[in-house]
Amino acid sequence: MEIVLSGIRPTGNLHLGNYFGAIKNFVKMQEENQCFFFIADYHSLTTHPKPGDLHGNVKQVLAEYLATGLDPEKATLYVQSDLPEIAELYLILNMNAYMGELERVTTFKEKARKQPENVNAGLLTYPSLMAADILIHKAHKVPVGKDQEQHLEMTRTFARRFNRMYQEDFFPIPQAYNFGADLVKVPGLDGSGKMGKSEGEGNAIFLVDDPSVIRKKVMRAVSDAGPSEPNQQKPEPIENLFSLLKIVSAPEVVGFFDQQYNQCAIRYGDLKKQLAEDVIAFTDPIRKRILEIAADEAYISKVARLGAEKARESAAKTVKEVREIIGFRPF
Ligand code: TRP
């Protein structure tokens, strides 16, 4: 059975892009693979979150993961900082991570530009921490978006380097998990690019958004003056509205608006109203479940403890073996 691992930083609520772009596939994957899904709260320290916010943010992601169908019995659902073994493997990997290669990482350069007042060593060594996350469970597959491909490549470099250095075929070389035909790209509401929380207010629809908030966001989505000739190609903002419609609405609905567009009879107001209602029909049961689960402290604690226990078993085994390979011996 393949070991699949995915991490998410606890920096905000999950949106439709997270759901259709990844989580929906995780729900399927957990049936056929040994899955580890964790919340990367060590990683989030690189941007100095307030101590008062950290626990709540982690809890919120846990509640949202559970509400969307991740099953703590089938998969291992855990919080990164519950595994001190990760910190140990990170320290060890850092001894074979070189300044030059770390400084060349695109996300590091970007972050250093964005937060020049806080270019900390954790930002520089972000790839070794991520490698520790992946290698600690000897994962084979990691579902990652484009922005994380370079990090995964670094993980492969560190794994190969370790294997070569100690002449052992120890760490499997992890590959990107390819969703193939199940890959869904979810566009944002601002007319260009994908849905993302950092793309600005109103671009993303969060799973916890109230129906009234969703209606407002969708009605404000970028469109245009409408087609001027029949069957013309749709510009990006319009194509994006149709992509969203295809994700949440019935095929007849998509077909209807498509036809209206092609006949230059489309009313974007009507399309958006329908889109908003179809989004709400999908998100509202999830929103209610999130609120229910988030209020159930005992359940969340139980899930986190079970996850930590399962994850630590696998992590402790790897670290024990790594210590032996390196040459640490107990007295
Ligand atoms: N860096 C990832 C992100 O920002 C989160 C992450 C941390 C991760 N560790 C990981 C993802 C390990 C996959 C595997 O999206």
Side-chain angles (χ1 to χ4, degrees), residues 5-9 38 40 43 80 126 130 133-134 142-144 147-148 151:
L5 174 137
S6 168
I8 184 164
R9 276 176 297 125
F38 74 96
H43 279 279
Q80 187 187 31
Y126 191 107
M130 185 155 155
D133 292 329
I134 297 168
V142 185
V144 288
D147 59 325
Q148 298 296 315
H151 288 155

Side-chain angles (χ1 to χ4, degrees), residues 277-298:
E277 293 319 308
D278 290 341
V279 166
I280 292 165
F282 174 77
T283 54
D284 220 46
I286 298 179
R287 180 178 68 90
K288 290 180 179 136
R289 247 187 341 263
I290 294 171
L291 297 179
E292 236 174 68
I293 295 172
D296 192 345
E297 297 277 352

Side-chain angles (χ1 to χ4, degrees), residues 56-71:
N57 288 345
V58 170
K59 190 179 128 186
Q60 183 65 20
V61 179
L62 256 182
E64 297 191 350
Y65 260 2
L66 292 165
T68 47
L70 297 193
D71 184 338

Side-chain angles (χ1 to χ4, degrees), residues 188-190 195-196 199-206 217-218 220-221:
L189 297 174
D190 63 2
M195 186 172 285
E199 317 302 323
E201 192 57 31
N203 177 52
I205 298 169
F206 296 100
K217 283 183 179 173
V218 173
R220 284 186 193 149

